[in-house]
Amino acid sequence: MKITEHFILSEVEHSETAKRLGIDNSVPDGLIPNVKRMCERLEQVRELFGQPIMISSFYRCPELNGKVGGSKTSAHMDGRACDFNVKWFNAENAFEKIKNSSIVVDQLIVESNSKGSSWVHFGIERDGEEPRKQYMIGKKSDSGSTFSRVERS
């Protein structure tokens, strides 16, 4: 199912972890409006970079979110968050470019793990709420995650 010009439902639901563990990661009908709003905002990100983004994690059902160690209040479970990378940009540079653009975010995080991987976490506000406009650097390790806020330039 096509959601916006460049995003389809199957990429929203895709998860290698869910596939490996046999978890049904289908988006419930009630969350489709969130997913549509998220995809509309991601269209702006795509336009900013002039190329597709490479999604690593979008929607996560509660079971999948638990298996990957996601926050108990993760916006991924509402279809309001997406982790991705952009070809030819390291995650830090992509984060800075989005942070300094006019794209409205609820939460924008450049995250990295102990294995050397990094990605951009992009989240939107709940429908009807004002965006928090939080910008952070996140580091994940075996002992947990730490986040520090940064200001917009």
Side-chain angles (χ1 to χ4, degrees), residues 61-105:
C61 68
E63 181 182 3
L64 176 60
N65 191 64
K67 295 289 185 190
V68 300
S71 161
K72 292 182 187 337
T73 60
S74 175
H76 285 280
M77 294 187 296
D78 293 335
R80 296 181 302 105
C82 181
D83 298 340
F84 61 88
N85 282 292
V86 182
K87 191 174 184 178
W88 310 119
F89 287 82
N90 66 36
E92 293 79 12
N93 290 345
F95 168 82
E96 286 296 324
K97 187 166 178 137
I98 298 166
K99 179 173 70 95
N100 296 318
S101 76
S102 61
I103 298 171
V104 177
V105 302

Side-chain angles (χ1 to χ4, degrees), residues 117-134:
S117 296
S118 59
W119 60 94
V120 175
H121 169 92
F122 183 98
I124 62 169
E125 65 283 353
R126 285 187 169 85
D127 192 26
E129 291 186 3
E130 288 295 315
R132 295 176 292 175
K133 299 179 183 173
Q134 293 179 340

Side-chain angles (χ1 to χ4, degrees), residues 5-153:
E5 183 180 358
H6 298 104
F7 296 95
I8 57 175
L9 186 60
S10 61
E11 80 182 308
V12 171
E13 297 172 331
H14 178 77
S15 165
E16 288 299 321
T17 303
K19 190 187 299 184
R20 187 179 74 249
L21 298 175
I23 297 170
D24 179 5
N25 196 47
S26 300
V27 176
D29 291 344
L31 295 181
I32 294 295
N34 286 348
V35 168
K36 183 168 177 31
R37 285 187 317 108
M38 184 70 201
C39 288
E40 288 167 353
R41 207 75 60 87
L42 290 173
E43 288 286 357
Q44 295 173 8
V45 172
R46 192 181 191 284
E47 186 176 323
L48 177 68
F49 290 98
Q51 63 176 310
I53 61 174
M54 298 168 290
I55 296 172
S56 54
S57 181
F58 195 146
Y59 173 71
R60 292 187 205 143
C61 68
E63 181 182 3
L64 176 60
N65 191 64
K67 295 289 185 190
V68 300
S71 161
K72 292 182 187 337
T73 60
S74 175
H76 285 280
M77 294 187 296
D78 293 335
R80 296 181 302 105
C82 181
D83 298 340
F84 61 88
N85 282 292
V86 182
K87 191 174 184 178
W88 310 119
F89 287 82
N90 66 36
E92 293 79 12
N93 290 345
F95 168 82
E96 286 296 324
K97 187 166 178 137
I98 298 166
K99 179 173 70 95
N100 296 318
S101 76
S102 61
I103 298 171
V104 177
V105 302
D106 184 59
Q107 202 174 56
L108 185 69
I109 309 170
V110 60
E111 294 187 82
S112 60
N113 64 23
S114 57
K115 297 175 185 168
S117 296
S118 59
W119 60 94
V120 175
H121 169 92
F122 183 98
I124 62 169
E125 65 283 353
R126 285 187 169 85
D127 192 26
E129 291 186 3
E130 288 295 315
R132 295 176 292 175
K133 299 179 183 173
Q134 293 179 340
Y135 303 93
M136 294 183 267
I137 297 171
K139 305 243 184 249
K140 294 183 180 268
S141 69
D142 294 339
S143 59
S145 299
T146 59
F147 295 91
S148 54
R149 289 193 186 218
V150 294
E151 298 298 318
R152 260 184 105 190
S153 310

